[in-house]
Amino acid sequence: MFDNKKDDIFLSRWVNGDLSPEELSEFQSHPEYEYYMKILAGADTLDLAEYDVDAALRNIKSNKQTSYKKNTKPVIKIWPYLAVAASVAVIFGLFLFNSNDSFATSYGEQLAVTLPDGSEMILNAKSEASFDEKNWKTNRTVSLNGEAYFKVKKGSKFTVTTKNGDVSVLGTEFNVQSQASFFEAVCYEGKVRVTSNQDNTILTAGKAYRNITNTAPEHWTLVAQEPSWITNTSSFRSIPLHYVFKELEDQYNITINTKNIDTDIIYTGTFPNNNINVALKTVFSTLGLQYQLLQNGKTVVVEN
Amino acid sequence: MSDSKNSTCDEQVFDQFFKSHAKLLRSYLYYKFGDLDQAEDIVQDSFIKLWNNCSKVSIDKAKSYVYTIATNLGISIARHQQVKFKHQKYITQRKSDVTNESPEFVMLEKEYMEKLKNAIADLPNRQREVFLLSRIDKKTYREIAELSNVSVKAIEKLMHKALVTLRKKIGNI
């Protein structure tokens, strides 16, 4: 029936609903029918990765403008006037329009910030972020030091800049962590681009990227729907121990005295962000280390 | 440059044209050449070319102009590198509502979809192109035929073949 040379468009007509009632009922009683139904039903649930037509158009516009410039040469020298006007504008800008908004969290704090377009940013402990509210429409850029989780509304390019590199997206959910020598980006939904000094990669949903100074950048795949710290748990995956200590210190405002131990050993595990005793016990007992929280509640001494 | 209302050089006309054609062109290039990022780049380049030549291309010729340019760009890139299809990566399954099906059923279903996606990626180029334009972009056979300047009958044959090929590939699960 289906390899029949005479009716080589039978299935096309079926897909289109062009079969006569007799043909259709004959096909429906055929054992092959359900297999074809299943293929069609499966194919109809497929979709292509989203396309941001507006962003693509903007992209073309910016390219168009650069190609304009090549053809047009200024006839009159107006740049001296422009320069004066521009510097006046800059001075005014500095004094009047400096509308940078910044947010910072202290030890153990979390802060949810709603950005001007409704995108969300959740800051983890000991982190700082700032953005320009006035120009948000044209320039969705947040500068970050520390760790934050972003849920970005669709629209123009959204960029998080850090000392270690930039992460930019069109509309998605992702986590960025940037410490002194540590840079990590995790994409939970959509697609993000990570640009750092050494690297330029695209992360799709469920993919993560990490770059620790002096080691090769790593990529891995994850299953979580959002970062664990959102639900008050810090989690670590194959990471030098001193970063884990840093996080303990940031979450609980303590100092960990690590004189006698090797903080470069690799640690994988979690600890809660709302119970210091459980947190310390979880980390140190898995490492087989003895520890003591001193009377002042601020210093942890580790004994090997 | 002419200033007539329906000129391709009119920014509004151009924007409108882009918005109504870019998405399908992207799908078309993707199915044809198998690389989504590259397809998006080609869409951009072709439309920039259209803009730069807007005074020479009237809006009713613009569609075939853009498709011709894009296809040529795609072919010249494809010649340089062996195209490997990456369909499994970009073709996503629409999120269906939460089901209360048994985990076993859900797993079997997932397995089936994987198999289907692989089978689609392995289809001969023309069959895959037609099949996906029809199923994902919901284009009629006539519309698909117009994109590549062939008869509707030819598209119907390809669609039929695509289904037979998929059926053979997937087997009895």
Side-chain angles (χ1 to χ4, degrees), chain A residues 97-104 113-116 121 123 128-136 141-143:
Chain A
F97 303 114
N98 194 346
S99 56
N100 262 359
D101 274 76
S102 51
F103 298 88
V113 179
T114 306
L115 300 168
M121 164 174 78
L123 281 176
E128 287 169 34
S130 65
F131 59 90
D132 187 344
E133 193 180 347
K134 279 267 162 54
N135 294 320
W136 185 255
T141 301
V142 174
S143 50

Side-chain angles (χ1 to χ4, degrees), chain A residues 69-105:
Chain A
K69 275 178 203 153
K70 285 174 202 155
N71 312 337
T72 50
K73 279 183 181 160
V75 187
I76 316 162
K77 271 195 178 175
I78 51 167
W79 70 265
Y81 306 97
L82 279 179
V84 172
S87 50
V88 170
V90 166
I91 291 165
F92 264 94
L94 283 179
F95 287 105
L96 292 176
F97 303 114
N98 194 346
S99 56
N100 262 359
D101 274 76
S102 51
F103 298 88
T105 50

Side-chain angles (χ1 to χ4, degrees), chain B residues 26-50:
Chain B
R26 167 192 182 248
S27 302
Y28 176 76
L29 291 169
Y30 174 45
Y31 305 148
K32 213 176 178 66
F33 301 112
D35 184 327
L36 193 64
D37 291 328
Q38 188 193 80
E40 289 178 7
D41 288 346
I42 295 178
V43 169
Q44 174 166 334
D45 291 348
S46 327
F47 276 90
I48 289 175
K49 216 160 192 164
L50 172 66

Side-chain angles (χ1 to χ4, degrees), chain A residues 276-286 291:
Chain A
I276 185 166
N277 292 320
V278 175
L280 293 176
K281 195 168 176 192
T282 330
V283 175
F284 290 108
S285 60
T286 49
Y291 69 96

Side-chain angles (χ1 to χ4, degrees), chain A residues 1-302:
Chain A
M1 181 181 222
F2 315 109
D3 284 328
N4 187 347
K5 288 278 176 294
K6 273 181 200 148
D7 197 354
D8 51 5
I9 61 166
F10 180 83
L11 291 169
S12 307
R13 291 194 294 127
W14 166 63
V15 170
N16 230 12
D18 287 345
L19 293 184
S20 70
E22 299 83 53
E23 282 175 314
L24 184 62
S25 69
E26 193 198 340
F27 184 29
Q28 278 168 343
S29 56
H30 195 281
E32 287 290 290
Y33 179 73
E34 58 170 310
Y35 291 114
Y36 280 107
M37 265 313 270
K38 203 168 173 188
I39 289 174
L40 208 58
D44 283 350
T45 66
L46 294 176
D47 214 344
L48 211 55
E50 291 237 21
Y51 187 42
D52 193 331
V53 179
D54 292 319
L57 183 57
R58 270 195 300 279
N59 232 333
I60 287 184
K61 290 272 164 73
S62 58
N63 272 305
K64 258 165 45 182
Q65 262 138 35
T66 49
S67 58
Y68 273 150
K69 275 178 203 153
K70 285 174 202 155
N71 312 337
T72 50
K73 279 183 181 160
V75 187
I76 316 162
K77 271 195 178 175
I78 51 167
W79 70 265
Y81 306 97
L82 279 179
V84 172
S87 50
V88 170
V90 166
I91 291 165
F92 264 94
L94 283 179
F95 287 105
L96 292 176
F97 303 114
N98 194 346
S99 56
N100 262 359
D101 274 76
S102 51
F103 298 88
T105 50
S106 180
Y107 294 102
E109 278 184 0
Q110 274 186 20
L111 182 66
V113 179
T114 306
L115 300 168
D117 63 347
S119 298
E120 278 178 70
M121 164 174 78
I122 306 176
L123 281 176
N124 200 358
K126 273 309 255 183
S127 302
E128 287 169 34
S130 65
F131 59 90
D132 187 344
E133 193 180 347
K134 279 267 162 54
N135 294 320
W136 185 255
K137 262 196 181 150
T138 50
N139 182 14
R140 300 202 297 170
T141 301
V142 174
S143 50
L144 171 76
N145 184 14
E147 180 166 21
Y149 179 51
F150 295 89
K151 294 183 184 178
V152 179
K153 284 273 155 74
K154 277 214 172 302
S156 62
K157 188 161 135 176
F158 184 106
T159 307
V160 179
T161 60
T162 75
K163 276 199 314 249
N164 293 310
D166 292 354
V167 181
S168 56
V169 297
L170 296 167
T172 172
E173 295 180 16
F174 65 103
N175 192 65
V176 180
Q177 188 178 9
S178 171
Q179 311 287 2
S181 56
F182 179 95
F183 182 46
E184 182 181 291
V186 184
C187 177
Y188 293 93
E189 196 184 295
K191 194 159 104 173
V192 308
R193 180 193 295 278
V194 179
T195 325
S196 69
N197 302 336
Q198 306 100 314
D199 257 311
N200 187 351
T201 48
I202 290 178
L203 299 179
T204 50
K207 294 277 189 290
Y209 168 87
R210 176 160 76 195
N211 189 356
I212 301 176
T213 309
N214 298 331
T215 64
E218 293 174 73
H219 292 262
W220 73 94
T221 308
L222 63 152
V223 284
Q225 299 293 313
E226 59 177 22
S228 61
W229 60 266
I230 299 285
T231 47
N232 275 325
T233 307
S234 295
S235 64
F236 304 90
R237 183 194 151 275
S238 313
I239 194 174
L241 191 57
H242 55 96
Y243 292 106
V244 181
F245 286 172
K246 171 84 169 40
E247 191 65 30
L248 272 173
E249 292 177 337
D250 286 350
Q251 292 293 346
Y252 292 111
N253 191 15
I254 53 176
T255 313
I256 299 177
N257 190 335
T258 58
K259 219 169 33 191
N260 297 322
I261 56 170
D262 175 10
T263 55
D264 281 329
I265 37 178
I266 302 299
Y267 180 86
T268 297
T270 63
F271 66 77
N273 293 345
N274 45 17
N275 187 331
I276 185 166
N277 292 320
V278 175
L280 293 176
K281 195 168 176 192
T282 330
V283 175
F284 290 108
S285 60
T286 49
L287 291 164
L289 295 169
Q290 299 293 315
Y291 69 96
Q292 214 182 346
L293 184 58
L294 295 187
Q295 288 301 318
N296 62 14
K298 290 276 173 225
T299 312
V300 177
V301 179
V302 185

